[in-house]
Amino acid sequence: TYAATLATRVVRALIAIAAYFDLDTRQMDAVNAFTNTVLDQEVYVQCPEGFEIPGKHLKLLRALYGLRGSPRLWYEEFTATLKRLGLTQIPDALCLYVAPSFILFFFVDDVVIFSYKDAQTEVDRFEERLLEVYEFKKQGELEWFLGIRILRNRKEQTIWMSQAAYVDKLVESFNIESTSYPKTPMSVIDLIAYEGTATTQEIHFYQRKVGSVNYIAVITRLD
């Protein structure tokens, strides 16, 4: 999606900064993030299985995953909290916040903090204050983001972004023989003139393949 692509671009830039300045990284994941927000409209749902009440429905008080307005409500809630905790938003980067000694980036419920080694006390204090408001799972150093694996060699000040897991997923999804290497970039079978009109399913399948390959080609390019 466009949002995920934009988020990855920001992370690419932050990773480059982290590699150059040898910054520490830590990642957290918000637990049931959307349910931290109060709905701003009336929404009713059916009673869950096993708890049915004849003629009754439930009124939602909190946002749930799947509701169209939930991401916006969580964004407004979380950014307001970050500002209360003293962080400043970067103009034109709605999910990027800074403090005197660390940078915070978040995408939906994933939070990544970049900081200098001597700023650990301040980062720990910020985490404690954040955990007083929300429940987070601490995930240690940044190793995965949106399906991209982060590989780091601090001694050489290098950080690699690998999409091997995503490629393996595509190989399985499209039934590609990973041991078969065609002599042309595209299978010659796909180049044979097609007679007739492609079905909706065939068009969608082709679009998926092209989009998936294009995603691999551009999503981790630092330029």
Side-chain angles (χ1 to χ4, degrees):
T1 63
Y2 174 76
T5 302
L6 185 61
T8 306
R9 290 176 181 174
V10 175
V11 169
R12 288 201 307 253
L14 291 174
I15 285 177
I17 294 173
Y20 185 83
F21 292 100
D22 193 27
L23 302 181
D24 287 337
T25 67
R26 61 175 75 181
Q27 187 173 17
M28 300 187 296
D29 178 63
V31 178
N32 296 324
F34 291 174
T35 59
N36 288 293
T37 63
V38 179
L39 281 177
D40 56 356
Q41 57 182 323
E42 287 192 354
V43 177
Y44 293 88
V45 298
Q46 294 180 343
C47 297
E49 185 177 353
F51 296 89
E52 298 90 344
I53 302 176
K56 298 290 184 179
H57 287 75
L58 298 178
K59 178 180 178 180
L60 289 183
L61 301 179
R62 298 275 179 169
L64 292 180
Y65 287 83
L67 293 179
R68 181 175 299 179
S70 294
R72 173 184 57 82
L73 292 173
W74 164 242
Y75 172 82
E76 294 173 350
E77 161 71 25
F78 189 56
T79 54
T81 298
L82 294 179
K83 293 176 182 178
R84 287 199 303 271
L85 295 179
L87 275 66
T88 302
Q89 185 182 51
I90 298 297
D92 301 323
L94 301 181
C95 296
L96 189 61
Y97 283 73
V98 296
S101 58
F102 66 87
I103 302 171
L104 182 145
F105 172 77
F106 73 95
F107 180 73
V108 190
D109 52 4
D110 288 324
V111 177
V112 185
I113 298 176
F114 299 83
S115 63
Y116 284 110
K117 293 181 180 179
D118 57 2
Q120 294 308 302
T121 301
E122 182 177 348
V123 177
D124 289 340
R125 188 180 303 114
F126 168 77
E127 275 192 0
E128 291 175 0
R129 296 176 64 191
L130 190 63
L131 290 172
E132 291 175 356
V133 185
Y134 310 112
E135 181 181 358
F136 274 90
K137 291 190 298 184
K138 295 184 179 181
Q139 299 177 315
E141 292 189 13
L142 177 61
E143 295 183 351
W144 291 89
F145 185 81
L146 292 180
I148 299 172
R149 187 181 181 188
I150 311 300
L151 302 169
R152 184 172 195 178
N153 187 327
R154 296 195 71 161
K155 184 177 181 180
E156 297 182 1
Q157 288 188 277
T158 59
I159 301 179
W160 294 83
M161 301 175 72
S162 170
Q163 297 183 90
Y166 182 71
V167 172
D168 290 339
K169 181 180 178 181
L170 293 184
V171 168
E172 180 180 354
S173 177
F174 296 125
N175 297 318
I176 300 173
E177 291 291 341
S178 58
T179 57
S180 175
Y181 299 95
K183 296 180 180 180
T184 58
M186 181 183 290
S187 171
V188 293
I189 297 177
D190 295 330
L191 298 177
I192 297 176
Y194 184 85
E195 297 183 0
T197 303
T199 65
T200 301
Q201 291 77 11
E202 289 173 329
I203 293 173
H204 177 67
F205 184 68
Y206 180 78
Q207 290 173 334
R208 281 183 56 209
K209 290 198 292 185
V210 173
S212 298
V213 173
N214 184 63
Y215 181 85
I216 295 174
V218 303
I219 199 65
T220 51
R221 287 179 61 96
L222 296 181
D223 57 355

